[in-house]
């Protein structure tokens, strides 16, 4: 399924590209100045611009930002908020907030792939107040109540 997305590029960046034919997400790159390096110390966060702003053709989609698995595994660097949510009506530049959970400083330079962006459908809820919810086998069990194995 294809979605047309208008894209505004700033800071001299190119449009994001899918790394393979069946990739679910495009890579977003750091839109830093040519000789600029942002070093994220262990435990610190940094907001990195991407030079990308979007306008999807539909308002029932959301762009989800996810971390890059290699950064998480090798460096302990992830998105500070877990995932990023880019609403269909947001028109500003997309930035990525990285956090370094690792033990070594992490350097980001212009053009580095820092996150992934995918588009998914959105359902909005009509909340209907009730006195009781329907019963299920699980009920209110949560937080690992089914065990680990």
């Amino acid at each position: 399924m294809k979605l047309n997305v208008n894209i505004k590029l700033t800071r001299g960046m190119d449009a994001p590209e899918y790394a393979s034919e069946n990739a679910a997400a495009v890579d977003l790159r750091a839109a830093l100045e040519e000789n600029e390096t942002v070093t994220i110390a262990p435990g610190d966060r940094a907001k990195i611009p991407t030079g990308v702003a979007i306008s999807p053709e539909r308002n029932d989609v959301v762009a989800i930002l996810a971390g890059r698995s290699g950064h998480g595994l090798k460096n302990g660097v992830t998105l500070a908020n877990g995932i990023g949510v880019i609403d269909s009506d947001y028109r500003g530049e997309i930035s990525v907030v990285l956090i370094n959970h690792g033990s070594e400083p992490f350097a980001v330079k212009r053009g580095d792939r820092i996150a992934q962006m995918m588009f998914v459908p959105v359902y909005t809820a009509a909340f209907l107040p009730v006195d009781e919810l329907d019963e299920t086998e699980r009920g209110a069990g949560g937080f690992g109540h089914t065990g680990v194995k």
Side-chain angles (χ1 to χ4, degrees):
M1 178 186 315
K2 294 286 183 191
L3 172 73
N4 292 324
V5 177
N6 292 326
I7 186 168
K8 179 181 176 184
L9 301 170
T10 59
R11 303 175 190 257
M13 298 304 289
D14 293 326
E17 295 181 345
Y18 290 91
S20 68
E21 180 181 347
N22 294 314
V26 296
D27 288 320
L28 293 177
R29 296 178 180 270
L32 301 173
E33 295 298 324
E34 199 59 46
N35 294 317
E36 181 182 6
T37 300
V38 172
T39 301
I40 308 169
D44 281 352
R45 295 175 301 277
K47 180 179 168 189
I48 310 293
T50 66
V52 171
I54 60 172
S55 174
E57 69 178 326
R58 302 169 52 141
N59 64 2
D60 60 351
V61 297
V62 63
I64 298 293
L65 304 186
R68 296 189 35 83
S69 57
H71 289 329
L73 174 66
K74 297 173 186 172
N75 309 105
V77 174
T78 63
L79 299 187
N81 55 336
I83 66 165
V85 174
I86 310 301
D87 294 313
S88 63
D89 60 350
Y90 176 68
R91 296 296 180 264
E93 178 182 17
I94 296 170
S95 291
V96 175
V97 180
L98 297 176
I99 185 168
N100 184 352
H101 296 290
S103 57
E104 300 293 325
F106 182 76
V108 179
K109 296 184 168 125
R110 181 178 179 81
D112 286 353
R113 296 182 293 171
I114 56 171
Q116 302 176 84
M117 179 173 65
M118 68 188 91
F119 293 88
V120 297
V122 170
Y123 290 90
T124 56
F127 294 100
L128 309 172
V130 297
D131 293 328
E132 297 292 329
L133 298 176
D134 58 312
E135 295 292 327
T136 66
E137 184 177 328
R138 177 180 181 166
F143 295 99
H145 81 281
T146 59
V148 199
K149 295 192 184 222

